[in-house]
Amino acid sequence: MNTKHQPDFVHEQLTDEHAETIRATLPLVGSKIDEIAPNFYQRMFSANPDLLRDTFNRGNQARGAQQKALAASVATFATLLVNPDGPSPDELLSRIGHKHVSLGITEDQYQIVHDNLFAAIVDVLGADVVTAPVAEAWDEVYWIMARTLVRFENALYEKAGVEPGEVFLTAKVARRIDQGEHVASFELEARQGEPALRSFLPGQYISVRRTMADGAGQLRQYSLCNAPTEGRWQFTVKQVLGDTTPAGEVSTSLVEGLKEGDELEVSLPTGDLVLDQDSEAPVVLISAGIGATPMLGMARALADEKSTRQVLVLHADQDAAGAALVDELTEAVDALPNGSLKLWFEKGEHELATLGLMQLDQVELPEGAQFYLCGSNGFLMAVRSQLQEAGVPAESIHFELFAPNDWLLPK
């Protein structure tokens, strides 16, 4: 995480009494997250159906991918808060804060979450377990986290020059590039007569809002994959197909229905996984599948500024024949004086590729490098483990998850 572009975190501490209560009850709360989370969401959406329609992604909810994220983030924050020898909670808070800004979350919504989450906790654990002292301690954990996030998010809104929550604008699709079956890139520009789209930091993302047949405004985040230039934002979409799980509403709407000349509602760029452009250290960009998008943006930014830094791009995908953005990664690396590319495909042939899963012991990792990772949970866990085995310090590993549980911190 690069913190140079964002506000500092200042959060309160629990009283000794509350901290002791949290330590005593954390194992039980943690063990019941899988029960608390669906109870919480069912309560919140029943009382506030507009949140499921216009803020939360229905596909992620239906697949169960998002059910655990919010409740688990509170438990994770509590763990970090009562463990003085553990990692700082700043990385957790930064991820959540940037995601909230991309969705236009405002302070009043924290009360809605609080009321439904704590009702779920009492329902699952029982009133005999959630006594007044226990409820008071967990209540304080939540509001310390909430107040910290509200301050951070409001500072991000202020830096962006907008009122809290007012992050959405309508842009025009200047170009559509079909990248193969079920994958398309879209280049956006400002509508005629409106200010140019602002620049951004390499690695940041936008939220895209699509209105569905039932009128719901569904949201999905996509990384910007072009070099930061005033006036143009480019992102790439892989359609989420419905086989054993529900199809992705937003991705299907974009890939099947969005064309050049159309208008699209998007948020201002945000995100804390950004390339440190002030450093001269070597850069290693590691991705799998459509996780290549932020890495492509970083590689293009380095090429655009004619960087002489050593840049190693490592990418894996299932099939060489259908892999998206490989040609674009190759082009970006070719434009770097000290760039190199290594590919892995589970099947198919490519002149730069090795057959099989990504194995970092097959490449020479540069000393003192900063590592940027993006992909599925399983891929990131496997790669992070390989980096740790190679002796890479944890503080040199920065990652983005293409999944709702982005509260996850390095173990």
Side-chain angles (χ1 to χ4, degrees):
M1 179 182 68
N2 185 351
T3 60
K4 295 179 181 179
H5 69 287
Q6 62 184 26
D8 292 329
F9 284 100
V10 179
H11 58 79
E12 308 135 62
Q13 296 295 322
L14 290 169
T15 64
D16 291 342
E17 182 181 359
H18 284 167
E20 185 177 344
T21 300
I22 295 301
R23 288 190 190 96
T25 54
L26 252 174
L28 176 61
V29 172
S31 71
K32 296 292 185 179
I33 286 295
D34 288 340
E35 296 177 46
I36 293 169
N39 186 310
F40 154 67
Y41 280 109
Q42 183 177 10
R43 289 173 179 275
M44 185 169 69
F45 293 148
S46 294
N48 305 273
D50 56 307
L51 289 178
L52 182 57
R53 281 173 52 88
D54 301 321
T55 301
F56 286 81
N57 184 283
R58 295 189 298 199
N60 285 336
Q61 286 292 324
R63 287 186 291 275
Q66 202 168 35
Q67 290 288 307
K68 183 179 168 185
L70 195 151
S73 70
V74 177
T76 303
F77 180 74
T79 302
L80 299 176
L81 206 57
V82 299
N83 183 7
D85 298 324
S88 166
D90 289 1
E91 185 171 354
L92 167 74
L93 295 171
S94 178
R95 261 184 219 161
I96 294 172
H98 278 276
K99 181 64 68 67
H100 282 180
V101 168
S102 81
L103 298 171
I105 298 298
T106 51
E107 184 173 358
D108 57 300
Q109 291 169 300
Y110 281 88
Q111 187 68 53
I112 296 172
V113 170
H114 170 273
D115 295 346
N116 289 282
L117 177 60
F118 279 77
I121 291 173
V122 173
D123 191 30
V124 171
L125 300 185
D128 56 326
V129 173
V130 187
T131 60
V134 170
E136 185 178 282
W138 278 98
D139 197 67
E140 186 60 11
V141 167
Y142 178 85
W143 285 115
I144 288 176
M145 184 177 180
R147 288 190 292 267
T148 305
L149 283 168
V150 167
R151 286 192 296 269
F152 179 73
E153 290 156 18
N154 285 344
L156 290 178
Y157 287 131
E158 183 178 4
K159 186 173 182 179
V162 298
E163 291 297 314
E166 299 297 317
V167 294
F168 285 92
L169 56 90
T170 302
K172 177 184 175 182
V173 179
R175 188 163 66 123
R176 173 182 170 129
I177 309 163
D178 288 301
Q179 304 279 2
E181 193 177 16
H182 307 304
V183 180
S185 294
F186 302 94
E187 194 170 283
L188 306 180
E189 65 180 5
R191 295 185 294 184
Q192 188 171 4
E194 296 186 352
L197 300 180
R198 64 180 63 183
S199 189
F200 56 92
L201 297 172
Q204 290 193 309
Y205 56 82
I206 57 174
S207 285
V208 172
R209 176 182 279 142
R210 292 291 274 175
T211 302
M212 300 299 149
D214 62 355
Q218 284 290 283
L219 294 161
R220 190 70 188 260
Q221 287 76 43
Y222 294 102
S223 295
L224 295 169
C225 57
N226 60 311
T229 52
E230 192 73 25
R232 293 287 175 120
W233 297 346
Q234 183 179 321
F235 66 99
T236 299
V237 180
K238 181 178 181 180
Q239 185 177 359
V240 179
L241 302 174
D243 21 83
T244 58
T245 59
E249 288 186 279
V250 176
S251 65
T252 297
S253 172
L254 293 170
V255 172
E256 295 187 356
L258 189 65
K259 59 186 183 300
E260 291 182 13
D262 286 351
E263 293 185 346
L264 184 66
E265 191 176 8
V266 295
S267 73
L268 296 174
T270 189
D272 65 342
L273 181 82
V274 297
L275 179 69
D276 185 354
Q277 293 174 285
D278 295 330
S279 173
E280 290 299 323
V283 176
V284 182
L285 307 177
I286 306 177
S287 57
I290 203 63
T293 51
M295 305 299 114
L296 176 58
M298 292 183 190
R300 283 173 164 170
L302 289 162
D304 193 59
E305 65 189 32
K306 298 178 173 54
S307 174
T308 58
R309 295 167 72 176
Q310 183 179 356
V311 181
L312 175 60
V313 178
L314 309 175
H315 181 67
D317 212 324
Q318 291 184 327
D319 190 348
L325 303 177
V326 171
D327 289 345
E328 288 78 4
L329 281 171
T330 303
E331 183 181 1
V333 170
D334 286 346
L336 290 162
N338 295 305
S340 55
L341 173 67
K342 174 67 176 172
L343 303 171
W344 286 263
F345 295 121
E346 293 182 48
K347 63 179 181 178
E349 294 184 359
H350 188 284
E351 59 183 353
L352 298 175
T354 297
L355 195 63
L357 300 177
M358 182 180 291
Q359 300 294 333
L360 298 186
D361 59 6
Q362 296 174 354
V363 296
E364 184 177 348
L365 301 176
E367 290 287 334
Q370 292 296 310
F371 294 79
Y372 298 87
L373 286 60
C374 187
S376 67
N377 289 13
F379 172 78
L380 291 183
M381 289 295 206
V383 169
R384 194 172 59 194
S385 176
Q386 292 183 50
L387 290 174
Q388 290 170 341
E389 289 175 8
V392 176
E395 59 269 21
S396 297
I397 304 172
H398 319 281
F399 65 95
E400 183 72 87
L401 289 168
F402 272 6
N405 58 335
D406 61 359
W407 51 269
L408 184 69
L409 293 176
K411 297 293 186 289

